[in-house]
């Protein structure tokens, strides 16, 4: 299902080559002002065709509001005036993004030959011949555009509650960025950069790794670290409603994400309790911890310290090299070479998507 | 919330020191026979006080059926006859496990002094003084006992559908077990062992590591690998309903789990696409992949290959060493030494819990 | 929330005067052919401005498919060719209907003066000044247009499962139509009529009642009977998941519905058990009941007999007469006269909406 | 499913003849004191065997708390001391009620002969021979005992929010009680009476009607009116989340309920808009309506006026007269005479159940 949330409901729709894609956000608070310039800037961080590493597909990714907002500057509700202040009304907000630069013909020969490590084969097994194979259909990374639009709106409300979210590339291949300060993450540093890292030297190395992969008609994976500040102690949920569980559910909706870890995560499994435990101390009026191996979450609930997690992004499945596949109707082995426009690495473009998905989950938890 | 599922609903209840704990399983199929001996053997794999490494708390962890089952051997439905065949009736199944060996007094001094890296502090922030602090209350690992009972029932139904689930310790501290064969995981090897590993030599090393931690009044973390076979291609869900997302939601309900990765997971982020992609080939009547870096999941849907994932288990938070904490009512720094009965490592006991949680998630998906 | 369903998810969006309204249907089966002419005919049954009794607002109510369908006649998936066969793909289906004949100016003076028995006042209390007051915003009966489009798709799948749904006006004011034969409801008779009743003589009387209401600048209520055939015995759900409960949840999403009764309903409260009970008998291979006071539902589950229910539709709240109201910002009593285009009776237009809402609920139950 | 709610989750379990029945209430606020005497008094209003009209089955219906509460008077959390103040802890609250006076033998001959207008036949179609047929299994009215226990707890929290709920018998057969004052319902009058009506003269007539039904080995139906005061304007939900829809979902979980109407309901369908509309006026600081045909709900949201609804309760299906049925395995017509202990009318016992179910729904909405 392309739906998320309990108190708010997000519904995504669209396919890579459908006329449009979009998102409906239901249960969203009324009276929230939408700054369309800031929204466009947020969308731009994810948009394709913007740098040397991303697919050559060019999409404006302009977000059009179909419902749930009204122009309040003149009291009429008319949204035609582009300079007007747009406010959410409390009704479901439908946002639409048009798909313009589609080349469906590229995919005709792939209709029955699943691309390795894409969703093509299980999608065929589930939906049969009627499924939309063009560009990966509804499994395409294109669907993260409306997710970003929805996430941007959620980020606005969270900001009003004192909650901020930021992410950065934490690794590309074997090359690692610095980590956020776990007690005071520097959320805004990566946001202002075209290649969102903390340490630009490592960023340059990462870009070399991506160029090398591209030069070999190959791709490379990486990871993203995300931090959330301002979540009050005790927020979240227990057991099957844990912060870890709900954030993971949102993260795994991002194509190519294959792992999630909180705080010290997998590295923490090699630690002793005396190293991994976070001692408490009083800091003025607040209870804080001296370290943050818990990633700001204990028992599924926020500790009041920054929430920290990392997601694993697999190497882009679409590569230019010849690969083994099968022709589905006749069950015959074939050799496949994917042509078309692909990213040698999607980690940098996934950074705002991780922020957006985290924002949707956190707003649902904190409303 | 202590509830999980859409088609089935699991509801856990109980606290570490409440008279009983339990689980209600609603929407469960009727006519499933429950073998109480096999259930007891499954519970025994998780039960405390069974080996040198686990807490000295002794609990029989006998599962009592309160509703949803009936003795069908004599047609009356009476369940008093212990030798009778017990069948599920289609009504919600309530199972109860008694807490017997509680020493609540041990916890009185901890009521307002949160133990580092336990849920004590966020739980206090959320629920206030009324919360049940004894033994960690509802955040205790004790709650995994009713989860196991529910998981056992789900495993029975899955088995009838051709789906099998198995897990093993994949690491303790820096010491790693072999991995499952990703194309044909050896599910049954670890199940028959008191210390569930594939490679007994590594198992012996792990036990040394645990003994060393205990000798230092400390604890150690580890990881668990789980495999699920027999899931048909196309099963699962897309986007926010992905197999990865739903399995993660279930995993993070297990106390101490801090990370989940599928297939090549975080290691895959260092690979190139040409290494990480799983080529297809025809195998008789089936479409298979030659490798399984995807962990049996693409686009949230099953590929038909074994589902493989690993969870990170943090070192037990309760350690015998002195730690820094705070006294909550007065917001004052204090030093804390935890007495009581604790496991230096819980990874081995968490193995059947991972199987149980995976079974609940998979039955909800496959019903 | 404008969302419904568990196995499928319906999400409505739009306001009376937003540029468009629509519906997203997620989890819908793939490979279902959509006959656009039949869809247009179904929409026409609800559309405004079609007869002497409905609002003069003219809307084409053409359903545009944004996602989730593909043209399969030429294998490309392109939906531009209007003559092509359109199949659902398994992706979320987004349908959009444009609002064309809006006269928002009519509503400017109503922004702070709630119309009696409309949602204006509670909506203002909930969403504040930012809400979209024009034409009732998201509370408008206009939103039943996308509900009909979604219901039409569900009806197609239900038909393939042998389930049929039909409704008719069962009363307007005090004038009652005949009832469906409870053992074999005549579903198709009312569908072919512009004024959907079983008994045309009563239909003529009802139309006189509506004309009289309109002549007095007033409105009139009525009721609708709906029948569902082909539901297998045992389908549905128990307790909080009963067929009655889920159908009611869907019915109360239709503006102006204020009551739902199943089978003998409120009339049955005056009966004795010996009258109201439905005796069983064997009919060939089937178990049937000789009467159907249960309306085809016992214990929340289908009996295998036709499901029968009736909904109460209140008189249209918009009337031309002067009414007492208040000016909200200053909390001052005012007199209000509503101008604009309104239906003296909406019961006839609500008949396909009841069928559509029932179809959505039944598909969610029977998938 | 025996589960309800979004913000809270109620899970019922048990069958008429299982050792115990119960309820788990998850997501319930912490720190709520439970007055066990008031709880017992509330349970007593529903309990069987208390007056001349109810089944002779005697059950103490004592509510035992298994989890989620702690004795806070001595700081230890121990609940053994019966005089202690019991507080909710924030953990799931499991309450158990024992079934004591079961006579399962009475039901042996009914295992394959469905009682007309009971759930026996559809339950058999759904769950097969494994279902628990004794006393109606999980479809029994007995399950309303744990629903009452859960509702009592919800009523306590609602009271702290200024929300009160009360119900009374509004009819038995053709005999009607007075209606609540729709602007100021007299909630407390019926609560203090063994036969909960507003007008005792009509109450005496109703009792005559019940005695007459019993004398003819028959039963009689009736209706219940319920009012909810103190709900703030704007509370509730739109479309598929309407107050009407959610209250109905809860009401139809009560066995024998076959209809729900809000405000003027079905009677309102005979009115003109000018009669049924509720004019607004200013009353001091508040906006009120002069009449309340809307039953306190417009657009699914509360108007701030009392919420009013009525439920139809069918005549008890179990009657002493001979009825036609079938023997299921052989599909043969048979004649059936039900022996055992049954209520000639259950309307009076259902009054607190309606209050309890309404309380669960309202707490879920208002938390």
């Amino acid at each position: 299902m392309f739906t998320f949330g309990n108190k708010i409901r997000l519904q995504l729709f669209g396919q890579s080559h459908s006329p449009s894609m979009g998102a409906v956000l239901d249960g969203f608070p009324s009276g929230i002002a939408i700054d369309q310039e800031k929204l466009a800037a947020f969308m731009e961080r994810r948009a394709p065709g913007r740098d040397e590493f991303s697919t050559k597909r060019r999409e404006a990714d302009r977000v059009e509001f179909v419902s749930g907002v009204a122009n309040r500057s003149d009291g009429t509700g008319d949204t035609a005036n582009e300079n007007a202040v747009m406010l959410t009304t409390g009704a479901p907000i439908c946002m639409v993004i048009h798909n313009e630069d589609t080349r469906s013909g590229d995919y005709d020969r792939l209709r029955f030959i699943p691309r390795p490590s894409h969703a093509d084969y299980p999608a065929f097994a589930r939906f049969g011949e009627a499924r939309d194979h063009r560009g990966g259909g509804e499994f395409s990374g294109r669907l993260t555009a409306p997710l970003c639009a929805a996430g941007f709106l959620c980020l606005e409300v969270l900001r009003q509650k004192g909650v901020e979210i930021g992410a950065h590339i934490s690794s590309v291949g074997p090359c690692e960025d610095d980590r956020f300060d776990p007690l005071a993450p520097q959320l805004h540093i990566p946001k202002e950069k075209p290649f969102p890292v903390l340490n630009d030297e490592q960023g340059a190395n990462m870009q070399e790794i991506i160029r090398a992969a591209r030069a070999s008609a190959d791709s490379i994976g990486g990871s993203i670290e995300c931090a959330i500040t301002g979540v009050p102690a005790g927020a979240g949920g227990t057991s099957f409603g844990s912060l870890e569980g709900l954030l993971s559910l949102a993260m795994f909706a991002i194509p190519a994400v294959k792992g999630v870890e909180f705080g010290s995560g997998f590295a923490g499994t090699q630690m002793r309790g005396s190293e991994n435990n976070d001692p408490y101390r009083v800091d003025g009026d607040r209870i804080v911890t001296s370290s943050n191996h818990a990633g700001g979450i204990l028992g599924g609930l926020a500790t009041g310290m920054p929430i920290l997690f990392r997601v694993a992004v697999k190497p882009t499945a679409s590569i230019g090299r010849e690969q083994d596949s099968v022709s589905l109707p006749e069950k015959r082995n074939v050799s496949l070479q994917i042509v078309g426009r692909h990213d040698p690495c999607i980690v940098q473009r996934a950074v705002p998507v991780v922020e957006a998905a985290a924002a949707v989950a956190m707003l649902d938890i904190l409303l």
Side-chain angles (χ1 to χ4, degrees), chain A:
Chain A
M1 292 281 189
F2 289 77
T3 68
F4 185 86
N6 233 347
K7 296 185 215 152
I8 54 167
R9 293 276 167 86
L10 171 63
Q11 170 76 58
L12 301 178
F13 59 86
Q15 299 118 259
S16 180
H17 291 211
S18 57
S20 322
M21 310 173 298
V24 186
L25 205 45
D26 196 356
F28 196 81
S30 62
I32 306 295
I34 300 169
D35 182 326
Q36 300 206 60
E37 268 179 52
K38 278 171 65 183
L39 168 57
F42 188 79
M43 296 302 291
E44 198 69 8
R45 289 174 60 200
R46 191 217 70 91
R50 297 305 190 266
D51 66 26
E52 58 169 317
F53 304 127
S54 78
T55 166
K56 293 296 163 279
R57 180 171 171 174
R58 292 286 316 185
E59 293 286 357
D61 283 356
R62 196 181 154 272
V63 180
E64 187 183 303
F65 286 82
V66 171
S67 68
V69 298
N71 170 355
R72 281 289 157 236
S73 56
D74 57 4
T76 63
D78 188 352
T79 53
N81 176 357
E82 291 219 358
N83 296 322
V85 177
M86 205 182 267
L87 290 186
T88 60
T89 68
I93 301 164
C94 179
M95 294 168 279
V96 165
I97 294 165
H98 296 292
N99 284 320
E100 285 155 0
D101 186 17
T102 58
R103 297 194 197 157
S104 301
D106 286 3
Y107 290 90
D108 282 358
R109 30 186 296 280
L110 296 180
R111 190 165 165 203
F112 298 113
I113 300 176
R115 295 166 297 167
S117 296
H118 271 284
D120 297 349
Y121 171 62
F124 183 88
R126 174 69 159 268
F127 300 119
E129 296 199 12
R131 78 166 294 254
D132 186 357
H133 64 287
R134 300 167 301 156
E138 69 270 32
F139 296 89
S140 166
R142 281 292 294 153
L143 270 287
T144 59
L147 173 54
C148 278
F152 172 83
L153 266 66
C154 296
L155 284 165
E156 285 295 317
V157 182
L158 289 170
R159 197 164 295 136
Q160 297 183 12
K161 294 178 180 290
V163 175
E164 302 270 348
I165 299 179
H168 68 105
I169 303 172
S170 63
S171 67
V172 167
C175 178
E176 300 211 2
D177 190 15
D178 299 342
R179 291 287 176 93
F180 276 137
D181 177 343
L183 304 179
Q186 314 91 315
L187 302 183
H188 291 284
I189 293 182
K191 283 194 191 168
E192 287 141 25
K193 299 180 180 174
F195 196 83
V197 289
L198 293 172
N199 179 326
D200 289 325
E201 212 167 314
Q202 292 306 323
N205 294 337
M206 290 174 187
Q207 295 180 57
E208 271 317 301
I209 290 170
I210 301 174
R211 275 184 207 108
R214 188 183 49 194
S216 330
D218 213 334
S219 65
I220 186 76
S223 66
I224 294 167
E225 186 186 33
C226 183
I228 309 171
T229 59
V231 180
T238 42
S239 191
F240 297 107
S242 70
L243 279 170
E244 291 110 328
L246 294 173
L247 283 165
S248 296
L249 195 60
M251 290 305 132
F252 284 115
I254 306 173
V257 169
K258 294 299 281 186
V260 180
E261 61 176 7
F262 294 82
S264 59
F266 281 94
T269 66
Q270 303 199 18
M271 293 184 193
R272 287 199 167 182
S274 56
E275 296 168 273
N276 193 61
N277 282 0
D278 301 312
Y280 288 105
R281 62 183 180 78
V282 176
D283 177 18
D285 229 31
R286 296 174 58 223
I287 308 294
V288 298
T289 56
S290 309
S291 55
N292 190 7
H293 296 111
I297 308 174
L298 290 173
L301 303 175
T303 63
M305 299 301 291
I307 291 174
L308 294 165
F309 62 92
R310 232 162 54 96
V311 302
V313 180
K314 73 176 183 185
T316 320
S318 285
I319 56 175
R321 298 185 173 201
E322 200 167 290
Q323 298 179 87
D324 288 344
S325 187
V326 292
S327 179
L328 287 174
E330 331 95 85
K331 293 195 177 168
R332 187 169 51 82
N333 290 328
V334 300
S335 183
L336 169 72
Q337 189 154 12
I338 303 174
V339 293
R341 306 164 296 179
H342 306 292
D343 305 57
C345 182
I346 53 165
V347 180
Q348 72 282 15
R349 288 179 59 204
V351 168
V353 182
V354 166
E355 294 175 4
V360 172
M362 290 311 297
L363 185 60
D364 192 49
I365 290 163
L366 294 173
L367 258 195

